[in-house]
Amino acid sequence: MHGGATADRGDGPVAEPIVQSATFSAASEEEFAQIALERRGGRFYTRYGNPNHEKVAAVIADLEAAETAMVFASGMATATTTALALLSSGDHVVAQRSTYAGTASLVLNVLPRLGITCTQVDQTDPRAFADAFRPQTRLVLLETPSNPLLEVTDLRAVSALARSAGALTLADNTFASPVNSRPLELGVDLVWHSSTKYLGGHSDLSAGALAGSAELLDRIWDTALVTGAVLGPFDAWLLLRGIRTLPLRVRQHNANGAALATALEAHPAVRAVHYPGLPSHPQHAVAATQMSGYGGVVSLELAGGYAAERFISGLRLARRAASLALVVHPVAMWAGTLEPGQISSAGVSPGLVRLAAGIEDTQDLVEDALRSLDALHEGTP
């Protein structure tokens, strides 16, 4: 709530002002040279940083227990810039098989064109990571819980294995949020977010964030200047505004996700529910050691050939759209990003539906989902 707060407790603004300027002046040649060379600064040129960037990055660093942080125009801008900064032709990456479609496309379709190879593994088995390491392995891409199957990666075990192999770990913490999990405290080197999701919280901005040590972010900074995936000052301000209520919102996301998962698991129209907070989840015990809550995202697979689209169309509260606090049919949404074979190899079936509970009334959300499932089961339109 008070992260990154200004030390001035006098007559300054309570709400952080928006600094919309694209460039900043200096009083002398010496000062101009100094601010031009400052990494992650905020008063030279907005591609190099902005006061709104500085403020929200400081708060994100606090949330993730990191030395420092950077912000980007989107989550994928964050992941892509980081990969380009840390990898070179001939390097090797180990990545999860179950992961966000954009991340999968990066490692399967983009990096190979640059001479960077990738091995995908079953993230539920730490030994699968160890078996995939090569002398050329430089980076391990993690995501837990994964999108959209909500599989869990043992961050302590995999980070230790990667460190012993001389590889860096980069974890996507979007679904957990730093309220529920802090991967850096478990040994991960770098954490990134699609800040469009839980951090922003209002579906009105696109942003990404990266947190870790100053030494690693300094290496990534130089590439970030070249890629130019700059977060606008107003979006940085919106992101800070959203983060101020993050703990309150995540508390309700956690409650809604748990209630939905429990109710869905008991319904005869549902074949399987993927939610790490359920005792029936295969990695529930691991999740309990590295998460304080399990988030609002629940995936379900319908039984008996029921159509995912019929279930989605029967919902009254959840809207069909990308991002969180909404409902999606992953097979349909990912068709523009991955090849059909890549989608199926990630374990995403045609019957899979991803629900992302917002902060609505818990009973309303559960009743809405059960109403649509009842209609499917009873064969009504």
Side-chain angles (χ1 to χ4, degrees):
M1 190 68 187
H2 299 283
T6 304
D8 177 17
R9 300 296 181 183
D11 58 357
V14 174
E16 189 69 20
I18 303 169
V19 183
Q20 196 63 46
S21 181
T23 190
F24 301 85
S25 62
S28 66
E29 185 69 21
E30 291 77 14
E31 181 186 357
F32 189 75
Q34 179 182 351
I35 61 176
L37 295 174
E38 184 180 356
R39 295 177 183 273
R40 297 180 301 283
R43 300 186 182 276
F44 173 62
Y45 181 59
T46 290
R47 180 159 58 88
Y48 288 65
N50 173 283
N52 295 114
H53 294 172
E54 282 189 306
K55 181 68 70 170
V56 72
V59 175
I60 291 169
D62 284 348
L63 281 170
E64 289 288 3
E67 185 178 1
T68 190
M70 293 168 56
V71 289
F72 295 81
S74 69
M76 282 311 303
T78 309
T80 302
T81 301
T82 302
L84 292 176
L86 299 179
L87 299 170
S88 301
S89 179
D91 288 346
H92 175 250
V93 176
V94 177
Q96 300 184 176
R97 186 170 291 117
S98 176
T99 191
Y100 173 59
T103 307
S105 184
L106 173 65
V107 300
L108 294 176
N109 303 327
V110 177
L111 294 182
R113 298 205 302 266
L114 305 177
I116 300 164
T117 57
C118 174
T119 301
Q120 287 188 298
V121 300
D122 174 6
Q123 66 269 29
T124 66
D125 179 11
R127 294 308 312 173
F129 288 89
D131 293 341
F133 290 148
R134 305 175 187 173
Q136 299 82 21
T137 303
R138 298 290 177 266
L139 186 64
V140 181
L141 293 177
L142 308 174
E143 178 185 327
T144 183
S146 69
N147 180 6
L149 293 178
L150 284 301
E151 293 186 338
V152 175
T153 308
D154 188 334
L155 294 176
R156 290 185 182 87
V158 175
S159 297
L161 289 168
R163 191 174 302 108
S164 66
L168 295 171
T169 46
L170 171 63
D172 182 349
N173 199 32
T174 299
F175 269 23
S177 89
V179 175
N180 286 333
S181 180
R182 281 172 292 281
L184 297 179
E185 295 180 343
L186 303 174
V188 169
D189 295 299
L190 291 162
V191 171
W192 70 281
H193 288 268
S194 172
S195 307
T196 311
K197 314 297 192 301
Y198 282 139
L199 294 188
H202 294 78
S203 299
D204 58 4
L205 66 94
S206 173
L210 179 71
S213 70
E215 186 272 329
L216 284 175
L217 265 65
D218 282 352
R219 289 171 58 185
I220 296 161
W221 170 255
D222 294 329
T223 301
L225 290 181
V226 176
T227 59
V230 182
L231 183 63
F234 181 56
D235 281 348
W237 181 87
L238 287 173
L239 179 56
L240 179 63
R241 177 214 58 181
I243 288 174
R244 295 304 191 197
T245 60
L246 180 66
L248 300 176
R249 291 185 286 103
V250 170
R251 187 184 308 160
Q252 187 67 12
H253 290 308
N254 290 344
N256 285 346
L260 273 172
T262 301
L264 294 171
E265 189 176 42
H267 199 282
V270 176
R271 182 175 68 84
V273 174
H274 306 283
Y275 185 72
L278 288 174
S280 59
H281 190 283
Q283 293 93 47
H284 174 68
V286 175
T289 68
Q290 61 189 34
M291 301 181 73
S292 57
Y294 303 102
V297 181
V298 181
S299 289
L300 66 146
E301 298 185 52
L302 298 172
Y306 291 126
E309 282 299 319
R310 282 191 60 201
F311 168 67
I312 294 172
S313 297
L315 297 171
R316 300 176 185 176
L317 296 181
R319 300 173 65 182
R320 185 188 286 102
S323 198
L324 300 188
L326 304 156
V327 61
V328 296
H329 187 196
V331 163
M333 186 176 73
W334 287 9
T337 304
L338 297 173
E339 298 295 328
Q342 293 173 336
I343 295 174
S344 61
S345 68
V348 180
S349 69
L352 185 73
V353 176
R354 192 193 76 189
L355 284 168
I359 58 172
E360 298 91 345
D361 178 81
T362 303
Q363 185 176 351
D364 287 348
L365 285 178
V366 171
E367 289 179 354
D368 188 36
L370 294 181
R371 184 187 305 112
S372 184
L373 289 173
D374 288 343
L376 278 181
H377 189 58
E378 296 164 6
T380 57

